[in-house]
Amino acid sequence: MPARLMPARPFALAALTLALAAGASAQRVQPTPVTPPPSFERAVAEGTRSETGTPGAAYWQNRADYDLDARIDLAGTPTLSASGTITYTNNSPDTLAFLVLKLRQNVHAPGVPRNRPVAVTGGLTLERFAVGGTAYRDVTVQETPGSYGGTVGPGTYSILGTVMTVGLEAPLAPGATAALDLAWSYPIPPDTGTYRQGTDGEVVYAGYWYPQMAVYDDVEGWHVDPYLGMGEHYMDMATYRLSIDAPADMLVYATGALQNPDAVYTDRTRARLAEAMSSDEIVQVVTADERGTALAPAASGRRVWEFLAEDVRDVAVSGSAAYVWDATHANVDQDGDGSPEAVQINAFYRPAGEAPYDAPWERSAEFSKFSIEHLSGMLWPYPWPHMTAVEGVITGGMEYPMMTLIGGDRTDARLFSVTHHEIGHMWFPMMVGSNEKAFTWMDEGLTSFNTNEGIAAFFDGSSESRPAIDAWDRQRQSHYLLAGTGYAVPPMRHNDRYPIGGGTSDVDPVGGRARGLASYSTPAVALHALRGIYGEDAFFDAYREYGRRWRGAHPYPYDLFNTFESRLGQDLDWFWTPTFFETWTVDHAVADVGRTEDGAVAVVVEDRGQAPMPALVRVTYADGRTEDRRVEVSTWLGGAASAPLAFPAGEVVRVEIDPDGYIFDADRSDNVWPAEPE
C-alpha cells in the first residue's frame, strides 16, 4: 500500500518559515574562507598566478633535459649502472646560487630516514659529478654510517638522504643553463623490499633510477622534501634520450618512442606491430612459444635499446625475458583536427601459470585501449605515442609516463579498475603537474573520480564480459568508512604526515585508511557532488578548463579552486573548507511531511551535519509523477538548521533527499520518507 501524507495537520508555509527562522541556530559554526598561504599570495602579486585560476602572464617554469645511458646486469647482484648529462635551464627571474637533485634510490641506503620498511641494499653510489666540465667535491659529513649533513660552498655538493645540494661555482643567472655530468650505480632492490619498482628475479622495472633535478617553482622555490618511501613526487617537464644496454634475451620497453626498432626486433615482430596499429583486434606480438625468437640476433649477448621521450616528467624502464607481448592501438584525435591518430597500446606480462599473481592479463591491452579512448574523450586527448601496461614486481599499481606497473591477484573488474586508474594518472599528474607529495589528492582524488567514470562506462551491462556496475554506489566509496568517526583526516595534508593506523585494525605503516580515504575517495565523492549540484555540462566545463590551463605546468590547490569558481560563477569556500581543510560531514534528513492550508505538500528538511551543502529533494506521487526542489546552501550559511519546501498537491508515496546519489551524506538512513525498513 502506498504511503500517505500525515493527515489533519495543515500548516501555513509562511508561518512555518518564520518559526524555523526564529529557531535558527545562531551558534552554528560557519566555514572559514579559503586563505592561501603568503607564498601563494606573493605569486599572485608577482603575476605568476591569478585569482581566477589561470597561470599569470609572468608564469615561468624551469626545465631539464636528460641524455642518459644505462646498463642492466643480472648476474650476481642485479645492478643498474648509468651515466649521462643533465642540461638545466633557469627560466625563473632568480639567480640560483645552488641546485637541488633527488637521489630517490637512496631510500635503500643505510640509516636514511624512511616511513615504510624497505630493503637496505646500499642505495645509489655517485661515481662522478661535474658541472660545466669541472669536477665538484663531495663535502657530505658521514661520521657514522647513516649520519648525513654538510654545508655546501661553491664547487661542492652534499647528500642528505635522498636530497643532493650542489653549490655552484658561478651562480646560474635567469635564462642561463648549467650542464651537469654524472655517473652512478645501485643494486636493483628486490620486489620483497621495495615499492613501485625493483626486480623479482624475472622482471626488472627501473623507476626513480637516475638523479633528477628537484622542482624550483614560483611559489615555494626549491622543493627539498626527502623521499621517505611513502609519499610520491613533484617533477618538472623534460626531454629524455635513453640508451638501455640489457641482456640480449630481455624484452625491454620504456617511456618514450623506440628509436631503433630495426636493430632490436625481427621482421616478424615488426610486421605484427604494424598489424596492431591498423587492426581493431588485439595482436599477439610475442607468444609464449616465441619468446626466444622475437628479437634480432645479438652477437655480444647484449642489446642496446634507444628511446626518446619529449615533454614528460619522468622515465621508467621495464624488461624481462619471460614476457609475452600483446598490442593494439587506441584512436585519439591528438591534433584536434577530427582525424584520429593511432596510439600504440602494449601489454607485457607473464602468461597464466607463470606469473606470481592470478589475474586476467590477457585482457590488459583491451582495458588499456578503452582507458585511453575513454579518458581522451572525457578530458582531452592523450598526446604521446604509446601507452604500455607492465605486469609484475608490485601487488598494486603504479604510474609512470606512458607506462603502468601492475601486480596482485585480480578479477576482471579489479584489473580494469587499477588499469584505468594508473592510466588516468597520465592526465593527473603526468600532464597536469601537481605536487603529489604535498597535495596527494590533486592527482589521486581526481584520478579516482575519473576511474569511477571509467568503470561506469566500461561495465555498462552490454555483454557478459562487461556486466553492469554502479561505480558510484556508496558501498564502493571508502570515504564513508571514516566519515564522522573522528578518525578521518583532511585531504589538505602532506603525504608524509598522515597518522599511523587511521583508527582501524587494518593498518599499513603510514596513515592506515585515513591517508587513502583523504587522498583518493573523499576528493572523488566531492567532485561527484559538484557535478550533481551544478550539472554535467557546467561541471565538466570547469574540470576540463582546469586541465587545459595547467597542462604542462604546476598548479596548486588554490588554482583548482579558483578555476572552478571562475567557471561556475560561484564562491565555493563553503564547499572547499569543510571537505578539503576539515573533516566535517554532510547529514540531511527528512524531518516532516505534511500539507499547507491550501493543500500543497510541505516537506521540512533538517541539516544535522556540520558541512553546509545544498539539499536536493524529490517527491514521488502515486501516479508516478516526480517533482524536484532544493534547499540552497545559503539557507544553512544563514544559520538555519531546518528549511521548508513546498510541492504541488497530490498523493505522495515517497520523499527522498539526494535521490540520484550525488551528495556524500554520511547517514542516508534519514533521507527517505516513509522510513525504509532496516
Side-chain angles (χ1 to χ4, degrees):
M1 177 178 291
R4 298 181 182 277
L5 291 178
M6 302 172 188
R9 292 196 304 103
F11 47 81
L13 188 59
L16 176 62
T17 303
L18 290 173
L20 291 171
S25 171
Q27 302 302 314
R28 174 169 182 155
V29 176
Q30 298 295 310
T32 58
V34 173
T35 304
S39 58
F40 186 89
E41 297 284 22
R42 182 175 61 252
V44 172
E46 293 176 351
T48 60
R49 310 266 159 169
S50 74
E51 293 181 342
T52 61
T54 60
Y59 181 78
W60 54 265
Q61 194 168 309
N62 287 354
R63 185 179 180 88
D65 295 302
Y66 298 79
D67 191 337
L68 307 177
D69 299 307
R71 177 185 172 97
I72 297 172
D73 287 297
L74 300 182
T77 300
T79 302
L80 187 147
S81 53
S83 62
T85 60
I86 304 173
T87 304
Y88 185 70
T89 303
N90 179 18
N91 293 319
S92 82
D94 308 321
T95 297
L96 305 179
F98 62 93
L99 303 178
V100 179
L101 291 85
K102 300 295 181 74
L103 312 182
R104 296 185 178 93
Q105 285 296 330
N106 267 355
V107 76
H108 296 282
V112 168
R114 58 183 71 92
N115 57 14
R116 67 193 309 177
V118 301
V120 178
T121 57
L124 184 145
T125 299
L126 190 61
E127 295 157 353
R128 182 175 75 247
F129 184 80
V131 179
T134 300
Y136 274 38
R137 184 166 54 91
D138 183 359
V139 296
T140 302
V141 175
Q142 191 166 355
E143 297 174 356
T144 59
S147 174
Y148 295 88
T151 301
V152 296
T156 69
Y157 67 86
S158 176
I159 298 173
L160 178 62
T162 59
V163 179
M164 176 180 179
T165 306
V166 179
L168 294 173
E169 282 194 324
L172 192 64
T177 62
L180 284 61
D181 178 48
L182 310 90
W184 69 96
S185 64
Y186 67 88
I188 301 173
D191 65 323
T192 54
T194 188
Y195 298 86
R196 308 185 178 113
Q197 47 95 34
T199 183
D200 61 9
E202 285 188 329
V203 171
V204 172
Y205 198 94
Y208 320 127
W209 56 275
Y210 59 97
Q212 185 182 48
M213 298 301 303
V215 173
Y216 183 86
D217 72 17
D218 61 307
V219 178
E220 301 290 348
W222 285 113
H223 285 258
V224 298
D225 317 44
Y227 177 44
L228 302 179
M230 190 68 192
E232 294 178 41
H233 313 297
Y234 189 25
M235 300 170 168
D236 276 326
M237 289 292 185
T239 293
Y240 294 82
R241 188 206 64 79
L242 305 181
S243 173
I244 312 297
D245 183 337
D249 62 348
M250 181 177 284
L251 183 57
V252 172
Y253 223 77
T255 300
L258 180 65
Q259 301 297 291
N260 61 336
D262 293 349
V264 297
Y265 297 144
T266 62
D267 291 344
R268 182 186 65 199
T269 299
R270 293 197 302 276
R272 288 181 181 174
L273 281 175
E275 180 187 356
M277 294 299 285
S278 60
S279 170
D280 290 332
E281 303 301 319
I282 294 177
V283 175
Q284 291 183 293
V285 178
V286 178
T287 67
D289 294 337
E290 297 168 342
R291 284 177 283 193
T293 60
L295 301 179
S300 66
R302 300 190 65 83
R303 190 186 320 277
V304 175
W305 303 73
E306 311 259 352
F307 293 88
L308 177 66
E310 299 179 283
D311 295 322
V312 294
R313 58 173 233 155
D314 190 17
V315 288
V317 179
S318 75
S320 178
Y323 277 152
V324 298
W325 181 6
D326 295 344
T328 183
H329 70 276
N331 295 303
V332 179
D333 185 7
Q334 292 179 317
D335 296 331
D337 59 3
S339 178
E341 288 78 37
V343 172
Q344 184 172 324
I345 302 295
N346 303 305
F348 294 98
Y349 59 94
R350 287 165 288 191
E354 295 183 24
Y357 312 113
D358 182 16
W361 301 111
E362 68 279 0
R363 297 192 71 182
S364 180
E366 172 197 358
F367 294 161
S368 299
K369 170 184 170 70
F370 179 90
S371 299
I372 287 292
E373 292 180 346
H374 172 256
L375 289 160
S376 293
M378 187 177 82
L379 299 173
W380 58 87
Y382 182 81
W384 294 307
H386 75 85
M387 184 67 231
T388 299
V390 176
E391 170 268 320
V393 179
I394 61 176
T395 57
M398 188 60 209
E399 73 279 2
Y400 299 82
M402 304 186 216
M403 298 183 73
T404 70
L405 178 63
I406 298 170
D409 294 337
R410 299 184 181 279
T411 61
D412 287 47
R414 291 188 66 232
L415 182 58
F416 174 87
S417 176
V418 71
T419 300
H420 192 286
H421 184 91
E422 305 310 335
I423 289 177
H425 279 304
M426 300 306 109
W427 280 259
F428 306 103
M430 300 305 169
M431 285 186 247
V432 182
S434 59
N435 184 343
E436 294 177 274
K437 200 167 187 63
F439 310 110
T440 306
W441 68 268
M442 293 184 71
D443 72 289
E444 295 294 0
L446 274 58
T447 299
S448 295
F449 172 87
N450 297 338
T451 302
N452 283 335
E453 294 295 287
I455 292 170
F458 186 84
F459 292 102
D460 59 357
S462 60
S463 67
E464 184 177 346
S465 65
R466 296 168 68 162
I469 295 177
D470 180 1
W472 289 105
D473 182 270
R474 287 170 64 89
Q475 299 302 313
R476 297 179 58 88
Q477 310 309 317
S478 57
H479 164 81
Y480 299 102
L481 292 174
L482 296 184
T485 66
Y487 292 113
V489 176
M492 286 287 288
R493 178 171 292 198
H494 192 286
N495 199 299
D496 290 330
R497 297 168 192 157
Y498 279 95
I500 294 176
T504 76
S505 59
D506 181 15
V507 300
D508 62 30
V510 175
R513 289 181 172 177
R515 171 189 170 274
L517 272 57
S519 301
Y520 292 70
S521 185
T522 295
V525 299
L527 290 176
H528 188 55
L530 278 180
R531 186 243 301 268
I533 294 167
Y534 292 106
E536 192 90 359
D537 292 343
F539 169 80
F540 274 104
D541 171 75
Y543 194 33
R544 295 184 188 111
E545 179 65 11
Y546 163 68
R548 186 192 68 79
R549 289 176 175 181
W550 292 97
R551 179 176 166 180
H554 291 316
Y556 276 64
Y558 315 100
D559 298 306
L560 183 150
F561 299 157
N562 290 339
T563 296
F564 268 83
E565 292 186 359
S566 67
R567 299 301 286 191
L568 294 174
Q570 301 287 328
D571 181 346
L572 297 175
D573 285 2
W574 59 266
F575 184 87
W576 310 127
T577 296
T579 309
F580 290 87
F581 295 84
E582 306 287 349
T583 58
W584 296 2
T585 56
V586 179
D587 186 10
H588 294 150
V590 180
D592 201 0
V593 179
R595 294 188 187 279
T596 63
E597 291 179 344
D598 60 3
V601 176
V603 176
V604 178
V605 177
E606 282 188 358
D607 188 6
R608 298 174 178 174
Q610 295 173 293
M613 189 73 62
L616 316 178
V617 184
R618 178 172 299 161
V619 166
T620 303
Y621 296 87
D623 60 6
R625 290 179 298 127
T626 61
E627 289 281 343
D628 289 351
R629 300 284 188 275
R630 63 196 287 164
V631 181
E632 298 295 348
V633 72
S634 57
T635 300
W636 315 128
L637 294 175
S642 301
L645 292 172
F647 294 82
E651 183 179 354
V652 175
V653 295
R654 184 179 179 87
V655 178
E656 184 173 4
I657 299 173
D658 186 33
D660 297 318
Y662 285 112
I663 307 302
F664 44 107
D665 193 311
D667 178 10
R668 287 187 62 88
S669 66
D670 51 14
N671 282 30
V672 178
W673 178 91
E676 295 183 330
E678 295 184 1

